[in-house]
Amino acid sequence: MNQPSEGFPRTSDDDHALPFQLDALGVRGRFVRLGPTLDAVIERHGYPLAVARPLAEAMVLCAALATSLKYDGIFTLQISGDGPVRLLVTDLTTDGALRGYAQFDSWKLAVALGAGNGEAPEGYVPKLFGHGRLAFTVDQGQHTERYQGVVPLEGATLADCAHIYFRQSEQLPTGIKIAARRVVRDGAPHWRAAALMVQQMPEFDAGRMDVDLEQREDDWRKAVILMASATEAEMLDPALPASRLVYRLFHQERPRGFERRPFVARCRCNRGRIDRVLRSIRREELADLRDQSGRVAVKCEFCSTEYLYSDDDLDRIYAAVA
């Protein structure tokens, strides 16, 4: 491939995953960029910067990992810990619906960051999340057994934590690089995040059954070194097309591109789902959920939509199970 346009389909770079393959190295990869999808999720909640950046990184990591798997359902990434940010959840459906939210203690966060510092520090995982765990879950519906992988939160960055997961699991060798930044454009805040991921292919899938182990290891090291050479500025630059960046990094290996995967910020909550949740709770236990008007108020953590239920509404819900 002499030019990036020959092997890569062209489309808008924002909110897409670009899968590619390095046949000469027996490696597959993907480059994910998120923009408006992050704005729709993060700015809706008004998170402080030290919470918003980890969420942005987690969302782009979720998108990179999920699109590397074959599944039909929901891929969820969850981080829980005993630090100022106690919970962070993001998930992606196979049709590209991405969402996320965070729970944090404002006082603990201020203490951890110090006076006058609102940014998430470099290597923020220990300081913001403390001791905890990172979990990946694939849910393909009620008739299929859920898959879940869990590892301790060990490492300075989310990419470090993901590397530990792949090393401890039986997955193929994987390298990941993540970048995220908030910028102000035309007076409005905007988020951008990117993830570059490479993964060694099984020998049979790569068509390299005749390649010895030492050569495979050399090829893998080369792929990781090339991936790591990408700068944060390149990964987040809206003027640098994703296909051109991949070609710039791996041009000697003649990268082969595949159809892009789009993403959109969309929550899956609806009144029917909330009805089923309330139906599973005894009616007398709903007292703590009532607002000043006496109605039961249920707020979706992901999209902040509030669902209100009068006593007549509750009569209808509970009559359905009578």
Side-chain angles (χ1 to χ4, degrees), residues 17-34:
L18 171 62
F20 61 90
Q21 192 160 307
L22 311 176
D23 295 312
L25 301 181
V27 168
R28 61 191 171 200
R30 60 204 57 249
F31 180 50
V32 178
R33 268 182 176 153
L34 296 179

Side-chain angles (χ1 to χ4, degrees), residues 38 42 48-62 77 79-88 90 102 108-109 112-113 117-132 134 153-162 176-181 191-195 232:
L38 291 179
I42 293 174
L49 291 178
V51 175
R53 179 183 159 197
L55 180 56
E57 292 191 6
M59 288 177 65
V60 78
L61 174 60
C62 175
L77 183 156
I79 303 171
S80 55
D82 60 6
V85 183
R86 55 181 177 266
L87 181 66
L88 191 155
T90 178
K108 285 185 177 181
L109 185 64
L113 296 176
N117 189 359
E119 298 276 359
E122 295 303 316
Y124 60 76
V125 169
K127 179 171 286 190
L128 296 186
F129 291 99
H131 299 287
L134 172 66
L153 271 182
E154 297 176 351
T157 67
L158 287 189
D160 292 339
C161 296
I176 301 172
K177 186 166 186 175
I178 302 172
R181 185 191 305 154
W191 278 93
R192 293 188 67 78
E232 177 179 310

Side-chain angles (χ1 to χ4, degrees), residues 187-199:
H190 295 281
W191 278 93
R192 293 188 67 78
L196 183 59
M197 174 176 170
V198 291
Q199 189 170 58

Side-chain angles (χ1 to χ4, degrees), residues 136-193:
F136 304 116
T137 305
V138 178
D139 188 345
Q140 300 192 85
Q142 59 180 346
H143 301 299
T144 304
E145 185 177 356
R146 287 201 318 167
Y147 167 79
Q148 185 173 64
V150 182
V151 293
L153 271 182
E154 297 176 351
T157 67
L158 287 189
D160 292 339
C161 296
H163 287 147
I164 290 171
Y165 165 75
F166 281 105
R167 283 200 299 268
Q168 293 184 0
S169 71
E170 298 180 359
Q171 302 289 337
L172 296 167
T174 302
I176 301 172
K177 186 166 186 175
I178 302 172
R181 185 191 305 154
R182 181 180 184 263
V183 298
V184 177
R185 188 171 64 248
D186 298 329
H190 295 281
W191 278 93
R192 293 188 67 78

Side-chain angles (χ1 to χ4, degrees), residues 288-316:
D288 292 340
L289 298 177
R290 292 185 181 274
D291 61 13
Q292 293 181 344
S293 69
R295 295 177 297 179
V296 168
V298 180
K299 187 176 182 179
C300 175
E301 294 274 16
F302 285 99
C303 67
S304 299
T305 299
E306 190 171 55
Y307 296 87
L308 300 176
Y309 291 83
S310 66
D311 285 331
D312 289 342
D313 294 327
L314 296 176
D315 289 342
R316 171 183 56 79

Side-chain angles (χ1 to χ4, degrees), residues 208-316:
R208 309 177 87 226
M209 301 297 291
D210 58 340
V211 178
D212 61 39
L213 180 60
E214 184 176 352
Q215 183 62 53
R216 278 173 54 81
E217 290 178 350
D218 287 346
D219 289 343
W220 170 242
R221 280 192 288 268
K222 182 176 182 179
V224 172
I225 290 171
L226 293 174
M227 176 206 73
S229 70
T231 67
E232 177 179 310
E234 288 176 320
M235 293 174 67
L236 299 177
D237 185 357
L240 177 61
S243 58
R244 187 166 296 279
L245 175 57
V246 171
Y247 184 78
R248 176 185 294 179
L249 296 172
F250 304 106
H251 63 277
Q252 291 185 341
E253 318 311 322
R254 294 183 174 272
R256 184 159 56 96
F258 300 96
E259 183 178 358
R260 303 186 189 219
R261 297 277 300 276
F263 309 110
V264 63
R266 186 171 70 240
C267 190
R268 300 191 307 279
C269 75
N270 56 55
R271 187 166 289 274
R273 287 175 180 267
I274 305 301
D275 287 356
R276 289 192 292 272
V277 171
L278 292 179
R279 197 177 294 130
S280 68
I281 303 172
R282 290 190 303 173
R283 186 165 181 170
E284 54 269 26
E285 296 178 356
L286 300 180
D288 292 340
L289 298 177
R290 292 185 181 274
D291 61 13
Q292 293 181 344
S293 69
R295 295 177 297 179
V296 168
V298 180
K299 187 176 182 179
C300 175
E301 294 274 16
F302 285 99
C303 67
S304 299
T305 299
E306 190 171 55
Y307 296 87
L308 300 176
Y309 291 83
S310 66
D311 285 331
D312 289 342
D313 294 327
L314 296 176
D315 289 342
R316 171 183 56 79

